[in-house]
Structures are given as C-alpha cells and as structure tokens.
Amino acid sequence: MKVDNSPLSNGIQHIALSLSGGGFRAASYSLGCCSYLAQLPYEQGYMLDRVSYISAVSGGSITALGLFSMQRKGASFQKIYRHLLEQTHGSNLMDQTFNILDDELAWADRPDKDRNLINALAVAYDVCLFKGATYESLFVDPVDSSHPVINELCINATELNNGMNFRFSTQGRIGNQYLNLNRGHQTSFDTIKKIKLGDILAASSCFPAGFEPIVFPRDFTYHSNDGSLEWNELAETVKTKDYYSGNFQKPAHDLDMFALMDGGIDDNQGIYSFRLADARKTKGYAYDLYFPCDVSSNYLKKPFTYPMEKKSKLLDQNLTSLFTSTIAVVSMMMILFLSMLLLSLNFILRESTGWVWPMLLGFASFGLLLFLSLRIGLGKIQKFISNYQAAAGDNEKKPGTWNMMLRKYSVEFLKLPVGKLGQMLVARGNSIFLLANTIFLKKIRRASYEQLYTDGTIPKNQIAVTAVYLLSTKNDRMLQQELKTDLKRENSMINADDPRLILDVMQPSAILRKYIDQAAAMETTLWFDDYHLKDDAQESLLIAGQATMCFNLLRVALRNDSKHVSWPVLRAQLLEDWAKFNIQPNWMISHYAEEQVG
C-alpha cells in the first residue's frame, strides 16, 4: 500500500492565526475570520477547534484576548461573538473612555496611574471588555475540559527602551531577549498574573500620535476589593540585559522603568511572534496551516499631493507685519473702550465737564497707547529674535545642531507670507503622517512576509495570507495571477487542462466585491462613526473576514492531493459556502443573528 507523504496527509490538526493591527477595522475583520472557522464543520467538531495558536497586534488583540479568555471560562463562540460586537459598536468604547478621563472617582482605585487618554482607555477595556479579568485568566484550565480551546496566545506591544517587540505571551518569554518579566520565579510569576487584561490590550493598541505611551510599572498598578497590584511588586519582576554587552543589569526601582506602545510599530502582522513560537517546537507538533489575517496592504489608499498655498489679503502678509497689524487693531479696540468709558462718565458729570475734555482725553489716550503698544511689542519681538539667534552660538550650552540652525534661520520664516508658511507646515505634516502611519508600516509588512516565506518556518503552500484586500477590485490582477499559479502546482487537485474552477467558480461576484471594497477602504480607528454605522461598515468587515477565510481554505483544499478522508467532505462544504457568499454575502451574519435570538 502506498504511503501518503503529501502535505496535510493527516488532515488539518493544528492551525496558527495572526490577527493584525488596524483598530476596530482589524477587530471586526479578524472576528469575521474566526466566526467562519467556528461555523465550518470539520470531522467531529468545527475548524476553530483546530486553532492552536494566535498572535495578535493592536486591534486584532481585542478579538484575540476576548476569544482566548472567554473560551477558557466556558463561553460559547456565539456568546463571545455577541460580546465583542456589542463592545465595538459605534463609539461606545471611546465615549466610555472620555467619561472615565473626566471622572475623578474613576481614578480612585488607580492612584499611581497617570491620568491620560491611554490609561482611560485601559480602564474602559477593563470595565467593558474584560469585566476586571487579569493575565491569570489566560493560564487557567478551561471550565469544560472536553471542549477544545486555543492552546497559546501572544499579544504584541513595542517597548521604547530598545525599540523592540514586547510579547505578553502564555508560553515563552513575557517581553523580549533584553527586557522581560521574570516568569521563571513563582512569586514573580504570581505578581505578573495580576496584571489587568485591559492594561495589556492598551499597551498593544496605543498607536502613535493618537495616544501616549503606557508606562511600566506605574500604569499597570491598581487597588480594588478583589486585590491590588503595587508598582514595587511589579518592579521586582523586571529583568534587563544590556543590548550591546549582553550583561544582565539590575533595573532601578522607578515608577517609569520602561514605556510601551502599539505592537504595530515593530510588527503589525504578528508574524515574528508566530515564527518564534514555531521555532520553540516544545508542543510536539508542527502547524499544518498558518493564516495571517491582515487588514493592511501594499496599496496606498491615497498618494501624497502637495498642498496648495492659500491666498488672501491677510495671508499674503508675513508674521511680523501681521503681528504689527494685530497690535494696532487691539490698541484701537482699547482706545474705543476707554473713550466709551469716558463718555459714559461725561453723561454723569456733563454739567460740570462738558464734552470737550473726554474727547480730547480719548484721542490723546489713543495715540499714546498705540505708540506704546507698537514700540513695546516690536521691541520685544526684536529682543527675542536677537537672544534666540545669539544662543545658537553659545558654546557653553552646546545645543544640538538642528537646534542651532533653527535658531539661526528662524527669523527668515518670519519674512514669509503666512499662506506660504502654512503650506510648508501642512506639507511636512502630511508627509510625516504618511511615512509614519503608512509607508514605514508597509515596508515592515513586506519584510515580515519575505522572512516568513524564505526562512522555512512553515512550507509556502501551507501559508494563506488572508488579507482584507485579497478579493477586492483593486487587487484583481494580482488575484488572477495567484489563481493561475495554483493551477501549476504539482500536487494541485485542479486539472490544468480544464481550469474552469479557477476561471469561473473561484471568482468573487460583483455583489461580494462591493462589501470587500468597502471593508478594505475603511481607515484605522477605535470607533465606528455615524457614517460607518449608516453604511454598515462593521458588517462589511465581518463579511470580508468570513468570505476571505472561506476562499483561502478552499484554495488550500484544492491545491493538495492528500488522500485523507476529511478532504473530500471539506472541499464540498467549502465550495457550497463559497457559492453562498457570492450570492448572498451576509448569509453567515444572518445565521449568527438567528442563533443569538434563539
């Protein structure tokens, strides 16, 4: 009897998922991906039962933490799905965040936490999403041991001491090679497990510019009726190693030991963490399939365009003349006010003073105040500029070279028209935002995928990048190339002489693409605004995740020739589901709604 040595010869046993960053867009899309797996029958259960590992970043961490922690408490997927949808509906979570920020009492149990936006969001996560759950909830045995649960989870942040990925994981390091929390000592590990899931999610999702960094250990402390976590307890758990020498160092006990920000800064797809998990090989198995569920892409939604200079009589002036004009206007207003005051006094004392003296006094005051305002105002400006430029040559203070040049040439900017100066500032701001939030992230994304496909972590044909744009109109040319490549695989179940399955059945319909295009176009936010709600943007994201996961699983099923008994049944089910998505894209949304009502 011939031995089946093909890939996936034992069917699908262990799946790994990565849930990318991207705010509520990522949270909803990844929930869509997981909801399809939860509904897809496979052997004696469902495909979600075969998910062994999840790596998540930022918005994807919302879904990953909710799914992982609630699964262990025995919650059904339908309950998890409903809870995550409710908490990410509209702007409810951000409304709660700003209520907390403004409420003195909300900070009473968190006396060490800095009162800022990221910590208010962390408290909102704690109260609304996790109901006070801590890191310990990720390590407890599941309530129902007979039901499969996800084995391993890694939530990714970025630490700002070494500029590296920082992992809140259930296996392996908590941190990274140079900065981590000591899980090897039981007392230390018990302390670490007191950390709130809300704070972990805040660390993973505090994207630059939108939020401040969250500081360890200060911002992870709390007092409550159920227990407390003090900063000095957490400080004892920190282990550091010098990046250059490799020598271990004892960190200073400080409220601000290190800062954390969004995991997407280092790796927005969570691929690096998956590669580390696969490299440990402590589980006794290899992953059969790896699905990076990704809402980012290589496409720029909108290329950079240079802003137009705004023209008007006011904006054509330079800052110096505009300031002089402002002083003159203010002076006139002051004189008018003083004249009105004197005239009012004249009405009261009219019989003794008459009209002449108040008017003369008003004009005299006007001239005097105008002269003094201009003289003092311009004198102050000239003195400030002189001192600022002189400081550039001060060798004792030794300012940085950029600071020196800015001081030296800053006066030149005052000579420019205000409209031109505004145009320059807008151009710089727009380009910096595009670079930091789009281009740099896309470059990191490409590098992460290149390493994934070249380092042999998992065979290429067992990787299925489940990207939100995969089935979009914009990506059609690339999709057709990928489908034709599937035809050429040696172990493909598709007959290259009769490629109708690829050229017909595998094509997304126009009605499905309408939902996919809307999902791919949504920006990164931590809310769904009124326009998103009106356009059912969250539903489009869920549909995009469900349909794209179905599509990629179908491609996997069609491009291998394993003889395992599960494959024919799986292929038939996937083809049936894919046909449904093309006819009625929201059929699974309706199915979940019916189950919830029931």
Side-chain angles (χ1 to χ4, degrees):
M1 182 177 177
K2 185 178 178 181
V3 177
D4 184 359
N5 291 321
S6 61
L8 302 166
S9 58
N10 294 319
I12 300 172
Q13 301 299 322
H14 299 286
I15 296 174
L17 302 178
S18 288
L19 310 182
S20 81
F24 276 16
R25 177 170 56 117
S28 298
Y29 179 75
S30 58
L31 182 59
C33 292
C34 292
S35 66
Y36 181 73
L37 297 177
Q39 182 57 34
L40 177 63
Y42 187 70
E43 295 192 318
Q44 303 303 313
Y46 293 93
M47 193 63 77
L48 186 65
D49 300 336
R50 305 305 169 105
V51 175
S52 302
Y53 175 87
I54 295 181
S55 171
V57 182
S58 195
S61 297
I62 296 174
T63 299
L65 273 171
L67 174 59
F68 195 91
S69 60
M70 291 182 71
Q71 246 195 5
R72 276 174 155 61
K73 294 178 181 177
S76 66
F77 183 81
Q78 286 74 21
K79 184 176 181 179
I80 298 169
Y81 178 89
R82 183 169 62 250
H83 175 67
L84 291 174
L85 280 187
E86 288 173 354
Q87 296 306 318
T88 56
H89 179 74
S91 61
N92 294 343
L93 197 58
M94 288 308 298
D95 293 342
Q96 184 73 3
T97 297
F98 280 96
N99 289 338
I100 291 167
L101 186 64
D102 294 335
D103 185 5
E104 292 278 353
L105 294 177
W107 302 90
D109 292 339
R110 298 166 174 84
D112 294 328
K113 260 186 181 294
D114 196 12
R115 187 172 172 180
N116 58 25
L117 195 57
I118 188 58
N119 281 319
L121 180 61
V123 176
Y125 283 151
D126 177 51
V127 174
C128 300
L129 272 172
F130 304 118
K131 313 300 182 186
T134 64
Y135 201 8
E136 185 173 18
S137 65
L138 306 184
F139 297 92
V140 298
D141 293 329
V143 172
D144 183 3
S145 58
S146 64
H147 191 275
V149 296
I150 300 161
N151 295 331
E152 185 176 351
L153 175 68
C154 182
I155 302 298
N156 295 274
T158 303
E159 54 93 353
L160 303 186
N161 278 23
N162 304 291
M164 297 176 68
N165 174 270
F166 191 97
R167 300 175 292 280
F168 289 95
S169 57
T170 56
Q171 295 184 30
R173 284 194 182 97
I174 300 175
N176 57 49
Q177 181 180 356
Y178 297 99
L179 177 62
N180 57 77
L181 307 184
N182 183 12
R183 66 178 298 171
H185 189 275
Q186 189 58 50
T187 301
S188 175
F189 193 33
D190 289 342
T191 298
I192 294 166
K193 287 192 288 188
K194 293 180 183 179
I195 294 173
K196 295 274 192 178
L197 290 187
D199 292 331
I200 293 174
L201 179 54
S204 180
S205 61
C206 56
F207 54 85
F211 295 99
E212 310 82 2
I214 187 168
V215 177
F216 191 95
R218 178 187 64 198
D219 292 337
F220 289 76
T221 61
Y222 61 87
H223 296 157
S224 70
N225 295 331
D226 299 328
S228 64
L229 185 57
E230 305 291 344
W231 74 265
N232 56 324
E233 291 181 86
L234 279 173
E236 291 288 345
T237 70
V238 178
K239 293 171 60 180
T240 63
K241 185 165 64 171
D242 183 70
Y243 186 85
Y244 297 101
S245 68
N247 297 325
F248 283 96
Q249 300 173 331
K250 185 170 180 60
H253 281 201
D254 196 301
L255 286 173
D256 300 347
M257 297 182 73
F258 60 89
L260 296 168
M261 287 202 80
D262 196 302
I265 299 169
D266 184 77
D267 176 10
N268 198 45
Q269 283 62 51
I271 291 172
Y272 179 62
S273 298
F274 162 70
R275 291 170 56 224
L276 289 178
D278 188 69
R280 286 198 299 269
K281 301 294 185 185
T282 57
K283 302 170 287 293
Y285 58 80
Y287 294 108
D288 302 306
L289 293 173
Y290 175 44
F291 292 92
C293 302
D294 191 357
V295 297
S296 57
S297 74
N298 289 329
Y299 301 108
L300 282 177
K301 291 181 181 177
K302 187 178 180 182
F304 176 80
T305 55
Y306 203 85
M308 297 292 291
E309 179 184 354
K310 294 183 178 180
K311 291 280 191 178
S312 71
K313 189 174 182 179
L314 181 67
L315 295 177
D316 287 344
Q317 300 182 63
N318 60 39
L319 282 175
T320 303
S321 61
L322 186 62
F323 186 77
T324 304
S325 301
T326 304
I327 289 176
V329 170
V330 172
S331 298
M332 292 183 66
M333 291 178 66
M334 291 173 61
I335 296 307
L336 287 172
F337 173 75
L338 183 59
S339 298
M340 293 297 295
L341 180 61
L342 291 171
L343 286 171
S344 298
L345 290 173
N346 177 71
F347 278 114
I348 298 173
L349 304 172
R350 183 168 48 186
E351 293 183 359
S352 59
T353 61
W355 289 89
V356 179
W357 290 110
M359 293 178 67
L360 290 176
L361 184 59
F363 284 118
S365 300
F366 171 80
L368 179 62
L369 286 175
L370 181 60
F371 171 78
L372 290 175
S373 298
L374 291 173
R375 184 72 185 85
I376 295 171
L378 291 175
K380 290 286 186 182
I381 292 174
Q382 292 171 351
K383 185 176 180 182
F384 172 78
I385 293 173
S386 299
N387 292 339
Y388 193 69
Q389 291 180 310
D394 189 348
N395 292 326
E396 293 182 5
K397 294 182 180 180
K398 293 184 179 179
T401 183
W402 279 92
N403 193 6
M404 290 175 65
M405 292 299 103
L406 179 62
R407 291 177 176 183
K408 182 177 180 179
Y409 297 115
S410 58
V411 68
E412 303 301 324
F413 290 106
L414 300 179
K415 300 175 184 178
L416 291 172
V418 174
K420 173 61 69 176
L421 190 59
Q423 180 192 30
M424 293 167 63
L425 291 173
V426 170
R428 278 159 178 73
N430 288 349
S431 60
I432 289 170
F433 187 83
L434 182 66
L435 287 170
N437 290 277
T438 303
I439 294 175
F440 289 159
L441 289 180
K442 291 184 185 304
K443 184 175 179 64
I444 294 170
R445 179 183 186 272
R446 288 193 293 269
S448 296
Y449 279 118
E450 183 177 350
Q451 289 179 332
L452 174 67
Y453 277 102
T454 58
D455 70 357
T457 299
I458 190 169
K460 293 180 182 180
N461 66 339
Q462 291 167 241
I463 301 169
V465 179
T466 309
V468 70
Y469 65 89
L470 180 64
L471 303 175
S472 68
T473 304
K474 182 181 287 188
N475 192 59
D476 186 61
R477 184 179 67 84
M478 295 300 297
L479 177 64
Q480 302 312 316
Q481 289 183 6
E482 289 183 33
L483 291 175
K484 289 175 182 177
T485 300
D486 284 346
L487 278 172
K488 299 174 184 178
R489 294 180 186 274
E490 292 181 5
N491 58 340
S492 175
M493 292 295 292
I494 303 168
N495 184 351
D497 296 326
D498 185 12
R500 285 175 296 178
L501 188 61
I502 289 292
L503 301 179
D504 184 13
V505 176
M506 294 297 288
Q507 300 301 318
S509 67
I511 188 172
L512 176 58
R513 272 201 165 143
K514 181 180 177 182
Y515 288 95
I516 300 289
D517 288 344
Q518 183 182 4
M522 184 181 168
E523 62 273 28
T524 296
T525 63
L526 283 174
W527 57 81
F528 291 108
D529 64 31
D530 291 343
Y531 292 102
H532 294 144
L533 295 176
K534 182 180 178 181
D535 295 337
D536 293 324
Q538 189 170 34
E539 179 176 297
S540 292
L541 287 160
L542 291 166
I543 291 169
Q546 293 162 352
T548 309
M549 180 60 76
C550 174
F551 177 84
N552 266 347
L553 269 168
L554 180 56
R555 287 176 66 191
V556 169
L558 291 172
R559 70 190 183 199
N560 79 84
D561 60 353
S562 171
K563 304 301 187 294
H564 191 269
V565 67
S566 65
W567 286 109
V569 178
L570 179 61
R571 288 188 193 106
Q573 184 65 58
L574 289 167
L575 282 167
E576 180 183 334
D577 290 349
W578 175 242
K580 287 182 183 179
F581 282 119
N582 279 287
I583 297 170
Q584 185 184 351
N586 66 345
W587 70 271
M588 188 166 280
I589 302 287
S590 303
H591 170 79
Y592 273 110
E594 290 169 5
E595 284 201 356
Q596 290 164 19
V597 172

